């Protein structure tokens, strides 16, 4: 409990948007979440109909709508940031509507440290260097950061581990295979359905 990597302490720092958290802190926070009893690999954002309607509009949200989005995504950030990592980035975008540069920088600082922490596990270029994620949804946040689109996904089982192989393409049309280690997700799936 006295460790700087004690999960409740890291969670509290994250919720306070403590930008002094390092990539190593984020590593322990991210992977430590999957060891918590309340972690649900199936957790969903569950946006309200109002939030969905605002997000489906093609024009800039009104001040009232910005507040609704900000309240929703702040709640997600505080209580279930691992349901979908993109939600953290979306919160920064919502703050951009009001040109709140400090909040944008703060949120993106923490988001990119978390992404960097995930990349500590590998570069995804092979099974041996697969990127370890605690939810398959997080694969798409990684692809977004790499500016890659996905056009095919397959599951590979090897040496008692599970991997997602995503066939991806960059903006120039070049194709890449990206491997993700999803073993922890499958462990959590199996535990849930026992």
């Amino acid at each position: 409990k006295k460790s700087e990597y004690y999960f409740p302490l890291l969670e509290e720092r994250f919720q306070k948007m403590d930008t002094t958290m390092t990539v190593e802190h984020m590593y322990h926070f991210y992977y430590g979440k999957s060891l918590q009893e309340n972690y649900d690999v199936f957790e969903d954002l569950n946006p309200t109909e109002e939030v969905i309607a605002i997000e489906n509009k093609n024009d800039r949200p009104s001040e009232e709508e910005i507040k609704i989005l900000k309240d929703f995504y702040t709640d997600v950030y505080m209580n279930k940031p691992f349901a979908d990592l993109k939600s953290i980035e979306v919160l920064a975008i919502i703050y951009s509507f009001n040109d709140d540069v400090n909040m944008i920088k703060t949120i993106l600082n923490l988001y990119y440290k978390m992404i960097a922490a995930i990349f500590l596990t590998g570069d995804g270029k092979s099974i041996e260097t697969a990127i370890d994620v605690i939810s398959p949804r997080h694969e798409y946040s990684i692809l977004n950061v790499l500016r890659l689109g996905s056009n095919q996904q397959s599951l590979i089982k090897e040496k008692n581990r599970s991997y997602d192989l995503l066939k991806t393409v960059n903006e120039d049309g070049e194709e890449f295979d990206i491997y993700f280690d999803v073993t922890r997700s499958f462990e959590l799936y199996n535990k849930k359905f026992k």
Side-chain angles (χ1 to χ4, degrees):
K1 290 184 178 181
K2 292 182 180 178
S3 168
E4 65 182 297
Y5 303 115
Y6 181 52
F7 185 82
L9 175 63
L10 293 174
E11 186 169 47
E12 182 182 337
R13 290 179 67 188
F14 181 79
Q15 289 172 339
K16 289 181 176 176
M17 298 188 179
D18 179 355
T19 57
T20 65
M21 290 180 80
T22 65
V23 171
E24 191 171 351
H25 289 125
M26 283 296 185
Y27 178 90
H28 288 272
F29 179 51
Y30 179 78
Y31 294 103
K33 182 61 180 180
S34 75
L35 301 172
Q36 305 308 303
E37 284 185 28
N38 66 346
Y39 180 62
D40 182 0
V41 73
F42 298 105
E43 186 171 49
D44 201 355
L45 295 182
N46 295 321
T48 63
E49 288 182 21
E50 193 173 30
V51 167
I52 293 168
I54 296 167
E55 290 182 333
N56 286 335
K57 286 175 55 175
N58 290 326
D59 51 343
R60 186 183 193 280
S62 68
E63 287 304 313
E64 183 181 327
E65 290 171 333
I66 291 169
K67 184 181 183 321
I68 291 166
L69 292 175
K70 197 179 290 183
D71 289 347
F72 174 75
Y73 281 99
T74 298
D75 181 65
V76 170
Y77 178 93
M78 296 296 177
N79 298 302
K80 49 184 180 177
F82 299 105
D84 188 343
L85 295 182
K86 287 185 302 191
S87 66
I88 302 170
E89 196 173 24
V90 169
L91 184 59
I93 292 167
I94 293 164
Y95 275 97
S96 74
F97 289 128
N98 293 348
D99 296 320
D100 191 336
V101 175
N102 287 335
M103 280 301 290
I104 297 166
K105 286 181 178 178
T106 295
I107 295 165
L108 291 180
N109 174 296
L110 294 163
Y111 177 69
Y112 285 112
K113 283 179 185 172
M114 188 174 297
I115 297 296
I118 296 169
F119 275 118
L120 289 176
T121 63
D123 60 16
K125 293 180 180 178
S126 68
I127 281 183
E128 293 74 26
T129 62
I131 301 166
D132 197 342
V133 290
I134 62 172
S135 169
R137 284 186 190 150
H138 301 171
E139 297 169 1
Y140 296 95
S141 294
I142 298 295
L143 293 187
N144 188 47
V145 168
L146 296 173
R147 297 179 183 263
L148 295 172
S150 174
N151 48 24
Q152 188 180 349
Q153 180 177 355
S154 55
L155 181 65
I156 300 169
K157 298 272 193 176
E158 190 172 302
K159 297 179 184 173
N160 295 321
R161 307 232 17 118
S162 301
Y163 302 90
D164 273 345
L165 168 59
L166 273 66
K167 301 279 186 184
T168 69
V169 61
N170 70 11
E171 295 162 337
D172 298 324
E174 298 171 300
E175 296 183 344
F176 300 90
D177 288 348
I178 305 288
Y179 294 85
F180 291 92
D181 188 329
V182 291
T183 305
R184 182 66 181 142
S185 296
F186 276 92
E187 289 170 356
L188 293 166
Y189 290 149
N190 292 337
K191 184 178 177 185
K192 186 170 180 105
F193 292 112
K194 275 191 177 179

